[in-house]
């Protein structure tokens, strides 16, 4: 019984002892022969997801999520200053730039020192951590360039490491283009398929050398690491102020002393990871989403762990960064497994394929793509006008597009209010860029006048809602000598012929070109389906009800020079003179329309044949190529799985989990409406009350254009629906199809197959879906069937000889991946909300085997970069005599080669010019065009004297020669490559000719004697 008083006396004495200061040794470096645990402090800050980017930055709207990036950055800087051995990496420059602009010069100086010393390292370095499935490669390049150039200008640094830790699958383009070609030494991420991860852990192949391009091969390979679990710390090592992991309590005079216990936990976790990793180096990601809001809570515990683990001696712990880790891996002289192709699709467990987001929010995906093309054209016109210090610029649109590439933005996986914020920012950027475009075109059209470019008098207007037949500038009464002037700008580097479509109110119109010659034109009646969408969405978006209603689409061909414009004049036709040809309108029930119960449409080489009784497409033919093939198109929907008590995984914004396929049949026998004319034929089909389709065949084009209108998708039955269209042929394709990687390389896909592991099939549809940004095609031993798209969609070839595209999805349950919101987009007018209707296009063509690539590449560029239209009015017919009617910025006798595109032409703030040229073909893709090509810079810029040309890396933050000097060479398992890769050589400063090998993109910063195209 005397023990209790003794214990009480002991603890009383213990509590009276004063605690002492402990100096933690955090200076440890790499120790050879030991397992080195590289502790990498980081935060992952989404530039929008559950909250908008600005809400995340300032820390508002915390009822949704407690997150404040401003706190993170300020807290981290203070914590780094407390110990020179501490390190931190930061990725999202859109946030850092906001913070940086608010800092004093004194704080900026301190932060620059932290960056210079390596304590604070910028990693990845784009404005956001872009998605890898749904963005176009040009957008990925642009957003990365914005961030990299900011880092270079403010800190003189170039990021070394790709850090794509959260995107939901990983593209080949990310590896070779946004990795190696940017100058990165390595690339790290977390999300790979759960089956793939399990096999790689067994084989110690989580870290590989990744050759994303079969064309560029080892010349653009990159060391790549997938994390063993996720991008957060091992279990038990989370140290945010509100986390529940045990801290290191090292004051022996206080209760709960646990140093040895925590050291043992650390060593056990390190050994566990070392067992799945080659070499004696492992990396721990010490942080996760929006952590370090009170950074000291993390660093205090890491200080202690480094100190006590190293005193223990079984493993070595150190503050590190992925750059240090990469150098250690390289120094080990290990041979690494080779990875090719990509990491799609991604599933994090059985029945949970993240393939729904390939299509989620299709209207927003289309808007991003439209703004991307507009930004490309606007930058060209900004260059031609000469960048000014004041007035409208393209910068706002650049910033909005950059954050829209985020992996919870264009992916469609954000909350609805965040999606609205992204769209609002894009519109604000567009509105400013539109002013610049209009003033630039006014300048260029008036450039022969004495006023020059300083004070143009012409007022142009544009039509951002032209897709829903709303264009006030063209819906005017052309009387009393008034004419409509249409300036058509071509942002491509080659001469282009295309069809212009604008709504007009009168059938008595005529079109003349810039030489005054009449142009053949066609009028197409505006049918009720188009009118109802126009009225509803104009009211929803603009808050007005249009007073004037156009009656027709006016269609006419335009021929536009490269990097230039042409002008067309639309005026009222005289009663006795020529005018636009009215399309004939027939209904399929009309006995005069068809023979043998079929209808054939197409004024040119392409013919589509329809079965009248079935009301559907049955045949495609091309008289030039002698292709004639069965082709059938239909619509179906997958019912979204709602989840059950025992299996809760539902279909949602991220996850595609179908629960049955249901063909969509017409409600009764619905006739085909056929419109014919000299320029194009149209077939209108009302599939049901919420799907409408127009198929177009043009006289001068050898493909079919399909315009679909889908929505509102009904969900009254309590089931979400994922709408697909299926294009079926009789081709024998052996379960094989090809999809693009972010609009560049095509990758071979095989149904129910993965090259890297033996796939256990649990979702035969969702597990075979892939992202499509440019197109998808199938082939047999004689033909190719290709489909191109106008935005990111998901698609596959589930049935041999058939292609399917998912066009729209509306779901009723959240899929439990964090967004906590069903994907149920609506459009509201006052208090009345209806499901979103989506309008889009896809394009199809059948070619003899081996001949489809040229169409895919050329028309793919034209789909990405549509002609830009600007409108103004004139009285009389003096436009051509008082204005410049046709213009090209290039030498009039020159255009880019057929296999090269100009993907960037931009004047920078220092008056230099950023130019990117892209070879469009892969090695062996086309017998004539998969060859080295040459571009003459003097003919691209005939009116300027080039004084300096510097080739840079893809993101224009360092010279290309420096990248090649620093590039790490990695040993790879297996035999060496069979053939050397073809790349263009150095640019001779006297001839200024740029060579490009297949799939090569070359980036240059050019200095001119003067920038303005015209002097005032």
């Amino acid at each position: 019984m005397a023990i209790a008083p003794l214990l009480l006396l002991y603890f009383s004495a213990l509590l009276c002892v004063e605690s002492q200061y402990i100096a933690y040794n955090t200076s440890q470096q790499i120790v050879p022969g030991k397992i080195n645990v590289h502790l990498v402090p980081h935060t992952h800050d989404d530039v929008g997801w559950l909250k908008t980017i600005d809400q995340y930055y300032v820390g508002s709207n915390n009822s949704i999520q407690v997150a404040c990036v401003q706190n993170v950055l300020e807290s981290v800087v203070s914590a780094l200053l407390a110990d020179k051995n501490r390190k931190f990496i930061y990725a999202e420059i859109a946030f850092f730039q906001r913070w940086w602009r608010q800092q004093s010069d004194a704080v900026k100086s301190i932060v620059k020192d932290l960056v210079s010393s390596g304590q604070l390292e910028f990693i990845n370095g784009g404005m956001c951590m872009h998605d890898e499935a749904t963005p176009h490669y040009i957008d990925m390049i642009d957003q990365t360039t914005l961030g990299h150039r900011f880092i270079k200008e403010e800190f003189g640094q170039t990021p070394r490491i790709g850090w794509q830790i959260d995107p939901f699958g990983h593209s080949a383009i990310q590896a070779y283009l946004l990795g190696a070609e940017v100058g990165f030494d390595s690339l790290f991420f977390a999300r790979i398929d759960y089956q793939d991860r399990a096999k790689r852990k067994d084989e110690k192949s989580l870290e590989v050398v990744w050759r994303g391009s079969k064309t560029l091969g080892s010349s653009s390979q990159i060391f790549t690491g997938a994390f063993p679990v996720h991008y957060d710390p091992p279990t038990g090592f989370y140290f945010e102020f509100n986390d529940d992991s045990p801290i290191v309590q090292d004051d022996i005079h206080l209760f709960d002393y646990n140093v040895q216990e925590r050291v043992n936990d650390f060593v056990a976790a390190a050994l566990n990871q070392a067992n799945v990793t080659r070499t004696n180096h492992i990396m721990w990601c010490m942080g996760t989403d929006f952590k370090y809001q009170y950074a000291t809570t993390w660093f205090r515990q890491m200080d202690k762990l480094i100190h006590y683990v190293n005193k223990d001696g079984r493993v070595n712990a150190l503050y590190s960064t992925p750059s240090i880790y990469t150098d250690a891996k390289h120094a080990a002289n290990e041979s690494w497994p080779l990875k090719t192709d990509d990491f799609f699709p991604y599933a994090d467990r059985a029945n949970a394929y993240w393939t729904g987001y390939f299509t989620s929010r299709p209207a927003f995906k289309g808007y991003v793509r439209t703004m991307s093309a507009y930004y490309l054209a606007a930058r060209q016109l900004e260059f031609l006008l000469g960048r000014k210090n004041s007035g409208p610029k393209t910068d706002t649109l650049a910033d909005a597009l950059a954050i829209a590439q985020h992996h919870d933005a264009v992916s469609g996986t954000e909350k609805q209010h965040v999606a609205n914020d992204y769209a609002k920012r894009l519109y604000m950027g567009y509105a400013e860029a539109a002013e610049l475009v209009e003033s630039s075109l006014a300048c260029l059209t008036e450039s022969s006048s004495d006023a020059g470019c300083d004070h143009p008098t012409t007022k142009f207007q544009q039509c951002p809602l032209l897709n829903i037949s709303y264009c006030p500038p063209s819906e005017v009464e052309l009387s009393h000598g008034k004419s409509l002037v249409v300036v058509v700008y071509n942002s491509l580097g080659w001469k282009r012929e295309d069809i212009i479509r604008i709504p007009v109110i009168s059938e008595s119109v005529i079109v003349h070109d810039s030489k005054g010659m009449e142009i053949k034109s066609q009028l197409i009646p505006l049918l009720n389906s188009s009118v109802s969408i126009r009225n509803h969405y104009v009211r929803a978006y603009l808050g007005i009800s249009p007073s004037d209603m156009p009656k027709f689409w006016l269609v006419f061909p335009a021929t536009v020079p490269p990097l230039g414009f042409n002008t067309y004049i639309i005026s009222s036709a005289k009663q006795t003179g020529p005018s636009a040809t009215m399309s004939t309108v027939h209904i399929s029930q009309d006995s005069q329309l068809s023979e043998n119960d079929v209808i054939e449409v197409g004024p040119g080489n392409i013919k589509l044949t329809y079965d009248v009784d079935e009301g559907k497409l049955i045949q495609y033919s091309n008289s030039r190529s002698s292709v004639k093939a069965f082709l059938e198109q239909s619509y179906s929907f997958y019912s979204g799985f709602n989840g059950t008590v025992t299996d809760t995984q539902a279909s949602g914004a991220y996850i595609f989990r179908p629960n049955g396929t249901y063909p969509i049949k017409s409600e009764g026998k619905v006739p085909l409406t056929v419109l014919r004319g000299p320029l194009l034929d149209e077939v209108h089909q009302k599939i049901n009350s919420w799907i409408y389709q127009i198929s177009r065949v043009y006289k001068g084009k050898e493909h079919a254009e399909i315009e679909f209108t889908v929505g509102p998708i009904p969900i009254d039955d309590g089931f979400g629906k994922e709408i697909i269209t299926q294009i079926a042929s009789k081709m024998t394709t052996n379960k094989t199809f090809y999809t693009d990687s972010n609009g560049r390389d095509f990758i071979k896909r095989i149904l129910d197959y993965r090259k890297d592991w033996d796939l256990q099939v649990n979702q035969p549809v969702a597990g075979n879906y892939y992202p499509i940004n440019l197109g998808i095609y199938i082939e047999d031993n004689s033909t190719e069937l290709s489909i191109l798209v106008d935005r990111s969609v998901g698609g596959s070839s589930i049935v041999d000889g058939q292609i399917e595209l998912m066009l729209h999805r509306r779901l009723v349950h959240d899929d439990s991946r964090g967004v906590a919101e069903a994907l149920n987009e609506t459009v509201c007018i006052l208090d009345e909300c209806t499901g979103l209707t989506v309008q889009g296009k896809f394009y199809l063509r059948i070619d003899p085997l081996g001949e489809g690539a040229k169409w895919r590449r050329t028309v793919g560029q034209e789909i990405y970069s549509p002609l830009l239209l600007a409108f103004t009015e004139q009285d009389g017919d003096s436009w051509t005599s008082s204005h410049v009617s046709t213009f090209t910025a290039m030498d009039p006798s020159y255009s880019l080669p057929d296999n090269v595109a100009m993907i960037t032409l931009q004047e920078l703030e220092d008056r230099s010019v950023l130019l990117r040229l892209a070879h469009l073909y892969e090695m062996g893709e086309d017998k004539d065009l998969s060859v080295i090509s040459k571009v003459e810079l003097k003919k691209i810029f005939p009116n300027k004297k080039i004084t300096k040309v510097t080739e840079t890396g893809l993101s224009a933050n360092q010279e290309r020669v420096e990248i090649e000097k620093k590039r790490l060479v990695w040993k790879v398992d297996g035999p060496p490559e069979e053939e050397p890769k073809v790349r263009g050589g150095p640019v001779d400063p006297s001839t200024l000719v740029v060579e490009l090998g297949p799939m090569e993109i070359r980036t240059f910063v050019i200095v001119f004697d003067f920038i303005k195209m015209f002097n005032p």
Side-chain angles (χ1 to χ4, degrees), residues 57 93-104 108 127 150 154 395 399 909:
Y57 176 69
I93 300 305
F95 281 131
F96 188 87
Q97 190 180 69
R98 281 165 166 74
W99 181 80
W100 184 250
R101 289 169 175 168
Q102 296 175 345
Q103 303 311 303
S104 67
K108 287 183 177 181
M127 299 298 284
F150 168 82
E154 295 293 340
D395 297 350
D399 289 340
E909 291 184 353

Side-chain angles (χ1 to χ4, degrees), residues 18 161 178 284 332 340 369 523 564 610 649 653 684 789 852 946 973:
E18 292 186 3
I161 309 297
L178 278 303
W284 284 11
T340 58
R369 186 64 56 86
L523 288 166
Y610 292 81
Q649 182 57 70
H684 291 240
V789 297
I946 298 173
D973 293 343

Side-chain angles (χ1 to χ4, degrees), residues 696-811:
R696 299 188 180 98
V697 187
Y698 296 87
K699 182 177 182 180
K701 298 184 179 183
E702 295 198 358
H703 63 259
E705 174 186 295
I706 313 297
E707 180 178 290
F708 59 87
T709 304
V710 178
I713 300 172
I715 54 172
D716 302 355
D717 56 3
F719 292 94
K721 297 172 182 65
E722 320 199 36
I723 314 306
I724 62 170
T725 187
Q726 297 149 315
I727 298 90
S729 72
K730 292 184 177 178
M731 298 166 64
T732 302
T733 53
N734 299 317
K735 299 185 177 181
T736 301
F737 57 104
Y738 301 81
T739 64
D740 71 277
S741 179
N742 302 111
R744 285 293 279 169
D745 308 60
F746 278 89
I747 298 178
K748 182 178 181 178
R749 313 295 191 184
I750 301 174
L751 200 71
D752 294 334
Y753 173 79
R754 303 290 188 269
K755 183 185 293 185
D756 295 331
W757 79 95
D758 293 330
L759 177 67
Q760 301 302 306
V761 178
N762 52 61
Q763 284 291 314
V765 175
N768 285 296
Y769 254 60
Y770 292 88
I772 300 169
N773 281 280
L774 169 60
I776 178 173
Y777 71 94
I778 54 177
E779 62 185 22
D780 62 10
N781 58 6
S782 62
T783 53
E784 301 176 31
L785 167 59
S786 305
I787 294 180
L788 302 181
V789 297
D790 67 347
R791 70 198 70 191
S792 170
V793 299
S796 188
S797 177
I798 303 298
V799 177
D800 224 38
Q802 177 178 289
I803 291 173
E804 72 174 58
L805 304 175
M806 185 180 289
L807 306 178
H808 195 2
R809 52 200 316 255
R810 186 183 185 192
L811 299 159

Side-chain angles (χ1 to χ4, degrees), residues 487-646:
V487 173
V488 183
Y489 179 76
N490 172 26
S491 60
L492 297 180
W494 56 69
K495 179 181 176 182
R496 180 170 178 183
E497 298 179 1
D498 211 334
I499 296 293
I500 306 298
R501 298 169 55 90
I502 57 174
V504 295
I505 61 175
S506 171
E507 63 182 289
S508 180
V509 291
I510 188 169
V511 182
H512 292 90
D513 66 11
S514 56
K515 297 179 181 178
M517 303 292 293
E518 180 196 348
I519 298 295
K520 182 176 288 188
S521 56
Q522 178 179 340
L523 288 166
I524 300 174
L526 198 65
L527 301 184
N528 289 338
S529 62
S530 298
V531 171
S532 61
I533 288 177
R534 165 195 163 98
N535 291 344
H536 182 78
Y537 280 89
V538 168
R539 191 177 176 198
Y541 293 155
L542 303 181
I544 61 174
S545 296
S547 54
D548 296 323
M549 186 62 60
K551 298 181 177 64
F552 308 98
W553 283 105
L554 173 64
V555 180
F556 61 91
T559 301
V560 194
L563 209 65
F565 62 79
N566 208 343
T567 306
Y568 295 86
I569 311 295
I570 301 168
S571 54
S572 178
K574 298 177 181 179
Q575 289 186 344
T576 58
S579 64
T581 302
M582 181 65 68
S583 301
T584 61
V585 181
H586 299 283
I587 308 300
S588 60
Q589 295 171 340
D590 186 344
S591 60
Q592 297 180 352
L593 182 65
S594 61
E595 296 182 12
N596 303 321
D597 297 324
V598 297
I599 299 170
E600 185 179 84
V601 298
N605 292 333
I606 297 294
K607 306 290 183 186
L608 298 182
T609 304
Y610 292 81
D611 183 299
V612 174
D613 290 334
E614 295 288 334
K616 66 182 182 183
L617 175 68
I618 58 171
Q619 185 176 275
Y620 171 104
S621 63
N622 183 335
S623 59
R624 181 195 59 80
S625 64
S626 300
V627 166
K628 188 174 185 179
F630 168 84
L631 197 66
E632 187 174 275
Q633 188 211 357
S634 60
Y635 285 86
S636 298
F637 71 85
Y638 293 109
S639 179
F641 189 74
N642 284 350
T644 66
V645 174
T646 57

